[in-house]
Amino acid sequence: MFNERTAIGLDVHARSVRAAAIDTSTGEVVEARLPAATAEVVAWVTQIAARLGPVHAAYEAGPTGFGLARKLAAAGVPVTVAAPSKIIRPAGDRIKTDARDAVLLARLLKMDELVAVRVPTEAEESARDLASIHRWGGLLSWRRNAEMPL
C-alpha cells in the first residue's frame, strides 16, 4: 500500500534514466533526465526525499537488471520493480516517450496499481545471467573460440 508523500517513476535504459516525481499533497510534478549511473539516480531520489518528504520509487523490470533496486533499498528508499506485462496502458495511447512512461509509473505507483516482481539477490541474478548466456549459445561459441588453435 502506498503511504509515502511522493511517488517517483523511473524509466530506466542502459544509457539514461528519465525520472518523474509526483507530490501527492500538492500535485507538483518534478521531472529530470539523469545519466544511467546508479549513484546519480540514488542521489536525485534522496534529494527529492529531502525536498518533498518520504518517497517511494518504481521502475519496470528489464534488461538493466536489479542493481538500482538494491542500491535504492540500501539508501532507505522503498522501491517497487514492476512487471512490464502487467502495467496498465491507457487505451489509444500511441505516443510513447520516456518522460510519459516515468510519469505513468509514478501515477500507477501512487494509485497502488503496479504488480511487483521479486528482486533477486546478486547471486541469483548472476546465476540467471549465466544460464541465459548458456541458453543462447554465447558460452558455447566463446568456448569454441577459446579452444581454436592459434
Side-chain angles (χ1 to χ4, degrees):
M1 187 168 156
F2 184 78
N3 294 322
E4 288 74 12
R5 178 177 168 172
T6 305
I8 296 178
L10 302 168
D11 191 38
V12 180
H13 297 282
R15 295 176 193 237
S16 67
V17 175
R18 199 61 198 246
I22 300 175
D23 185 342
T24 56
S25 300
T26 64
E28 175 187 7
V29 177
V30 179
E31 295 186 60
R33 182 177 300 177
L34 307 167
T38 302
E40 298 215 23
V41 176
V42 172
W44 184 82
V45 170
T46 54
Q47 181 183 40
I48 291 294
R51 187 174 134 208
L52 299 177
V55 299
H56 190 128
Y59 71 94
E60 287 183 53
T64 56
F66 297 94
L68 178 59
R70 286 191 280 274
K71 295 287 186 186
L72 285 169
V77 176
V79 62
T80 298
V81 181
S85 62
K86 303 289 185 183
I87 293 177
I88 302 165
R89 305 266 181 213
D93 187 20
R94 303 184 108 174
I95 301 171
K96 186 177 179 320
T97 66
D98 296 344
R100 282 180 141 189
D101 285 349
V103 171
L104 176 65
L105 283 168
R107 284 190 176 132
L108 291 174
L109 177 64
K110 183 177 73 163
M111 294 184 298
D112 207 23
E113 291 288 328
L114 291 176
V115 177
V117 297
R118 185 181 74 83
V119 177
T121 64
E122 288 185 49
E124 290 171 335
E125 190 171 12
S126 297
R128 187 197 68 201
D129 291 344
L130 185 60
S132 176
I133 289 171
H134 184 69
R135 186 177 327 120
W136 294 106
L139 188 59
L140 295 177
S141 65
W142 172 82
R143 184 175 169 196
R144 266 195 306 273
N145 291 339
E147 292 174 354
M148 289 180 67
L150 296 176

